[in-house]
Every structure is written in C-alpha cells, then in structure tokens.
Amino acid sequence: MEPRRLPVQDAAAYAGSFPKFTQPKEVACFSRSADRQVHFDRSALRSYRPPSLPAQLDVGYESYVPKESSGALRGSSRILGSLCSRFKKVAL
C-alpha cells in the first residue's frame, strides 16, 4: 500500500494577506455523570489540578468502568445534542 500524499501548490498560490484568527469561543457544553448519563449543563466541570508526581498509575484499576462501544458516531451525537440544546435556549 502506497502512503497518501498531501497535494501542495506552488508557493505563489499562497500569496496574499494572512487570514485573521480570533480566540476560540465556547458554543455549547455537556457533562457526563458517574453513571455515564449525559446532561447538557456544566455540572461535571471541575478545575484542573496538576497531578502530584510521581503518580501511582494502578490506583482505581479495580473499579474501572469501560466505555460503551456501540458505534463510531456516538461521540458526535453528544456534541450535536449539546449544540441543539444550546440553540433551543437562544432566541434566534
């Protein structure tokens, strides 16, 4: 199998003004509870705490709950559901 290649144009094709980029903005959010139910709110949002090092990676291994694997689009449906929930609350 031959590797795929990204077609690149001549450098002159990219001449012009540089596009303007802005900071990203949150458009929607969702949380997942301990029993893996999805809620379209920020109820599971927590502040980031850096880990204390060295970390013991085997802690909690016995109580691990594997993710459901019922389709590749499952994560996408959560994102779309979050967006739909967000836009229902916004008067367009």
Side-chain angles (χ1 to χ4, degrees):
M1 175 184 261
E2 187 174 327
R4 294 182 171 217
R5 300 191 186 279
L6 179 65
V8 178
Q9 299 177 1
D10 185 55
Y14 300 105
S17 62
F18 193 75
K20 279 184 107 175
F21 293 100
T22 60
Q23 290 292 321
K25 295 178 182 171
E26 180 181 301
V27 294
C29 61
F30 69 93
S31 298
R32 188 180 301 268
S33 62
D35 58 349
R36 301 207 182 270
Q37 296 297 313
V38 175
H39 304 279
F40 297 110
D41 57 15
R42 295 179 173 182
S43 59
L45 185 65
R46 303 288 182 264
S47 297
Y48 174 74
R49 290 187 332 209
S52 57
L53 297 175
Q56 292 184 330
L57 300 178
D58 60 345
V59 173
Y61 185 76
E62 304 82 27
S63 61
Y64 171 72
V65 177
K67 293 181 181 180
E68 294 177 21
S69 59
S70 60
L73 296 177
R74 191 158 185 86
S76 299
S77 66
R78 302 288 190 239
I79 294 169
L80 291 174
S82 178
L83 289 171
C84 289
S85 174
R86 165 81 170 137
F87 288 116
K88 284 180 187 174
K89 295 176 185 176
V90 175
L92 297 176

